[in-house]
Amino acid sequence: TQLLEQSPQFLSIQEGENLTVYCNSSSVFSSLQWYRQEPGEGPVLLVTVVTGGEVKKLKRLTFQFGDARKDSSLHITAAQPGDTGLYLCAAKTSYDKVIFGPGTSLSVIP
Amino acid sequence: EPEVTQTPSHQVTQMGQEVILRCVPISNHLYFYWYRQILGQKVEFLVSFYNNEISEKSEIFDDQFSVERPDGSNFTLKIRSTKLEDSAMYFCAREEMNTEAFFGQGTRLTVV
């Protein structure tokens, strides 16, 4: 069974602080996606990482794919209240489905 | 940005009733998914649908669930006899580039 684990489960920080959340698996994936979900809405794709060691930046968000393509991290610099949400990592398994991690719930306090 | 539209946004139904949730992709793509998210829990895979056939389904997707693409555009999820534990957000997603899933806004199903 291919599973994705995320840590921490919950994170509450002050505006302006930096943070990192993690996505880990014992399986190797050809690619991994990060989504952000706000309450009552569907997940919104942020980025896809494909190559081991790859780093992608999206404004204040930095995404990294592990060298072995089993894990990934999301770093947010100078967090803002608008960053509040559930951050989900996801990956396509060897079968025809995309599986999700349980998510990290981020709360940025003004 | 690619997107899908889901209707209704909220459905309240009595236990034992049938519900049909609808998803309308903006173009004629072949690969779609249905996911479920019970309040406060993770996003769970239900079924994938490729070229008008079920490609894969999870253990959640039992005989009371079915999917169709009846007219070539709408993509539906039917729950034949709803149970209280079917209450959840149901998300339709379309696939791009063989890896990325783009989600609709979801249908909140409440079974009473």
Side-chain angles (χ1 to χ4, degrees):
Chain A
T1 302
Q2 293 170 298
L3 292 174
L4 290 168
E5 298 176 342
Q6 291 188 246
S7 61
Q9 185 178 358
F10 298 99
L11 188 57
S12 181
I13 62 170
Q14 292 291 128
E15 182 177 0
E17 292 184 351
N18 302 332
L19 66 115
T20 303
V21 299
Y22 300 92
C23 175
N24 298 284
S25 176
S26 58
S27 302
V28 176
F29 296 106
S30 58
S31 67
L32 189 141
Q33 296 81 50
W34 283 93
Y35 291 81
R36 188 165 80 100
Q37 184 181 26
E38 298 192 26
E41 298 187 8
V44 175
L45 180 68
L46 296 174
V47 77
T48 297
V49 285
V50 178
T51 307
E54 180 178 7
V55 176
K56 280 192 174 178
K57 292 194 175 184
L58 187 67
K59 297 183 180 178
R60 293 177 293 99
L61 277 59
T62 302
F63 304 85
Q64 184 161 9
F65 201 14
D67 291 341
R69 291 183 287 126
K70 292 183 177 182
D71 54 81
S72 181
S73 64
L74 159 59
H75 181 80
I76 301 179
T77 304
Q80 299 177 0
D83 296 327
T84 294
L86 181 66
Y87 289 83
L88 300 161
C89 66
K92 190 166 186 180
T93 67
S94 56
Y95 302 103
D96 294 334
K97 67 181 181 182
V98 174
I99 61 169
F100 283 82
T104 292
S105 179
L106 172 65
S107 178
V108 181
I109 303 165
Chain B
E1 182 173 308
E3 60 184 44
V4 295
T5 301
Q6 289 187 243
T7 58
S9 57
H10 191 189
Q11 172 100 39
V12 180
T13 187
Q14 289 209 318
M15 190 169 56
Q17 295 296 304
E18 175 184 284
V19 295
I20 297 176
L21 311 182
R22 291 183 170 81
C23 173
V24 182
I26 60 169
S27 62
N28 195 26
H29 276 250
L30 295 176
Y31 225 136
F32 299 96
Y33 302 99
W34 280 102
Y35 285 82
R36 177 181 82 174
Q37 187 176 33
I38 295 171
L39 184 64
Q41 297 187 23
K42 66 185 293 184
V43 178
E44 300 175 291
F45 169 79
L46 290 177
V47 66
S48 57
F49 193 78
Y50 174 71
N51 202 21
N52 296 328
E53 291 185 354
I54 290 176
S55 177
E56 186 174 352
K57 57 185 181 180
S58 72
E59 60 276 7
I60 302 170
F61 195 87
D62 60 22
D63 290 345
Q64 71 162 341
F65 290 92
S66 62
V67 288
E68 286 191 325
R69 200 170 185 194
D71 56 7
S73 61
N74 289 293
F75 178 46
T76 63
L77 173 70
K78 182 191 291 186
I79 309 175
R80 272 182 258 284
S81 178
T82 50
K83 302 185 287 247
L84 294 176
E85 53 265 38
D86 292 327
S87 295
M89 286 288 288
Y90 287 82
F91 294 107
C92 167
R94 51 180 277 181
E95 186 178 275
E96 292 282 340
M97 299 179 65
N98 205 35
T99 55
E100 301 172 340
F102 291 90
F103 286 78
Q105 291 295 92
T107 293
R108 179 176 298 282
L109 176 65
T110 303
V111 182
V112 297

